[in-house]
Amino acid sequence: SKYATIVEPREHSKRISNDIADNRIFEAAEAGGASHIVTGDKKHILPLKKYKTAKIFLPAGFLKALQNKKFVV
């Protein structure tokens, strides 16, 4: 797909978050070469603001950035 890719990470990342499920998000983002991570997780993921080269957004913030053409997808 032009906007999404299904990936199966081959490696586990170093512990980024205290929540193991959150680490799977980062592994998938890395495996897929994600430029953006969209999440509602305000406790563990959102405070990081960025993971490697992927910017982290709340869904509303991502939609707003799309509408304002702040980035290209």
Side-chain angles (χ1 to χ4, degrees):
S1 163
K2 182 178 176 182
Y3 300 106
T5 303
I6 296 173
V7 297
E8 292 185 33
R10 298 185 189 276
E11 298 180 22
H12 289 294
S13 62
K14 294 180 183 176
R15 187 171 147 187
I16 300 159
S17 170
N18 290 330
D19 186 337
I20 293 172
D22 292 344
N23 289 329
R24 304 296 86 88
I25 300 291
F26 299 122
E27 291 163 7
E30 187 171 353
S35 58
H36 304 86
I37 297 171
V38 181
T39 182
D41 186 331
K42 295 179 182 178
K43 186 174 181 183
H44 301 115
I45 298 177
L46 199 62
L48 297 175
K49 297 183 182 176
K50 192 172 186 181
Y51 173 70
K52 297 199 175 187
T53 60
K55 293 181 181 180
I56 302 173
F57 289 90
L58 280 169
F62 181 76
L63 290 174
K64 185 175 180 179
L66 277 176
Q67 290 171 342
N68 292 332
K69 300 180 182 173
K70 296 284 184 179
F71 51 81
V72 177
V73 289

